[in-house]
Amino acid sequence: MESKVDKTMTNSPCIKVEHVDRFFGKKQVLFDISLEVPHSQILGLLGPSGSGKTTLVKLIAGIDVATKGEVYLLDKKLPNLSMMNKIGYMAQADALYGELTAGENLQFFASMYNLTGTRQKQRINDVMQLVNLSDHLKRQVKQYSGGMKRRLSLAIALIHEPPILILDEPTVGIDPVLRKSIWEELYKLRSNGKTIIVTTHVMDEVEKCDNLGMIRDGRLIALNSPAELKRATSSNTIEEAFLYYGGASK
Amino acid sequence: MRIIAVMIRILRQFRHDKRTMALMIFAPIFVLTLMAFIFNGSEYHPKIGIINAPLSFVNKLEDEDAIVTRYNESNADQAIKSAQADAIINFESGVPHIELEGSDPSKSGAVIKLTQSALKQLTPAAEPDITYLFGYEDMSSFDNFGPILIGFFVFFFVFLISGVSFLSERTSGTLERILATPLHRWEIVIGYVLGFGAFAVIQSGIIAWYAINMLNIMMIGSFALVLLITILTAMSALTIGTFISAYADNELQMIQFIPLIVVPQVFFSGLFDLSTMEPWLQSIGRFMPLWYSADALRNIMIRGKGWNDILFDIFVLISICIFFMVANILALKKHRKI
């Protein structure tokens, strides 16, 4: 089913955001944001906390709706309930049921996608192996460390093999070794045709993305490949480039 | 100085939380007002129906402020069964027969006290022959309000627990997370109703069984009907609790709703006799789910009534559940439009 979608969609971008504004009451948090993500690419969204990253990501995940403008996923306008099947979402806060075991959490979320029976069991084993938590399947989540909870959240986002992954700060509180292995996993997912959006404010992570969007005060101040961003601003690091664009926007 | 700083910080927090501040002032006022209505009610004047009695006896009853109505044999029966009369008095060859409605021991007591003092004036004084339509002579007050307490405790705990658990679903981010799946909003609401419903069956069963078998509360009706009513009570508490939780930001704020939502229902559900209260104030109870569950539970447990007599209560309780289920589904729109 997925491969059919991919074949027909390869010419149009996987994710398309068109002139999106988002207001909370009278406060505007997103200003005229437009971006496109081609298939099988990783888009990094970089910006300080409070810049509107999470709001933007929720719009793309179909949880929130833009006040103005449109979001398209695989050419389908959001929000659309059936498109939720195509998205793996990992929220910034670990949205886990602490009283339940990791396995019970996975079973619950797998059931949300109608994954049942032996298929469900198989997927649970696969994703737990992927995030290196297989030994802790039967432990209560409230006994997990912060890093383990992040990994379990990632496992839940992957449980239904979604073609699109939206990860809100996936590597917060995760040690460098594990962070590396998570990024290796993201590369692997990308080469399997998955399209990924990752938000972060860790500068060294952003160079690993195919494209990088810089967000500040609700505005997309730059969008290009990391190398191109550095070249255009004659910066040595992404941090310098960010400062350049941030300063220029004032 | 640090103490002052702490004090100022707390006062500042209050200033930022106007709701808590208002609640701390108005909730006690509100509850005290209700209690004033209830306990300042004037003395109870029993409603006594007379079929046949000496005039001097009837005059004496009226002097004592009883509300005396004349009945004949056929409509007296109807009056007492519908609780329009607390007692029917009929003199047969000089012996007073008192038939008491009997479901409220305090009312029965008032009737007996009054008639006995009136009978003393008569010569020769006859020992009355007392019978009970519902209840029995040694019925305790607990028999009378026990059914209400069963309904109340089921309501109270389900309200609180379901409200808090739905709230923590919201605050922990799991609500947002499950709304990022293809789950429909109504599926969450129904899922909660079923999950808590299954729990409520067990909880209601245990509470009712305990009250009847361990506390020996009076029970002459069907246990299955008691269970049905307590489950419906739990369901209305659940749907109201989850709905209310949308207006609380944390567990404490959920608890703040208890004096507003739960306590008034206790007063109006029949734990206290309201018949001396202004009729328009009495009718407030009709807006409270616990009134219907208390009414049904009393009818089943004390009066042994069946399906037909509690049908309206069942209908109202189910309507309340459906109303708040729909309200919950709509309230979730705040978190996801579709």
Side-chain angles (χ1 to χ4, degrees), chain B residues 125-255:
Chain B
E127 196 57 31
D129 166 31
I130 300 171
T131 55
Y132 289 81
L133 177 63
F134 304 117
Y136 54 93
E137 196 181 343
D138 295 328
M139 184 172 160
S140 70
S141 287
F142 184 66
D143 286 328
N144 176 47
F145 62 66
I148 302 166
L149 287 184
I150 294 176
F152 166 70
F153 285 124
V154 168
F155 187 92
F156 178 79
F157 288 109
V158 173
F159 173 82
L160 196 61
I161 304 304
S162 64
V164 167
S165 81
F166 200 70
L167 175 82
S168 69
E169 186 103 55
R170 201 153 51 83
T171 52
S172 73
T174 49
L175 179 65
E176 184 194 280
R177 184 62 190 79
I178 55 178
L179 286 173
T181 73
L183 185 73
H184 292 92
R185 281 180 284 125
W186 61 264
E187 287 174 311
I188 303 174
V189 175
I190 304 282
Y192 256 74
V193 167
L194 292 182
F196 272 87
F199 178 73
V201 173
I202 300 165
Q203 183 212 29
S204 306
I206 292 171
I207 293 179
W209 174 86
Y210 181 82
I212 292 162
N213 291 306
M214 304 311 272
L215 302 178
N216 288 318
I217 187 173
M218 182 179 175
M219 163 72 174
I220 55 170
S222 143
F223 188 76
L225 284 181
V226 171
L227 213 56
L228 174 71
I229 297 296
T230 45
I231 291 164
L232 286 177
T233 307
M235 289 294 94
S236 58
L238 161 80
T239 50
I240 294 171
T242 49
F243 181 74
I244 290 295
S245 77
Y247 300 95
D249 289 333
N250 53 49
E251 284 80 356
L252 178 65
Q253 290 197 344
M254 194 63 213
I255 288 166

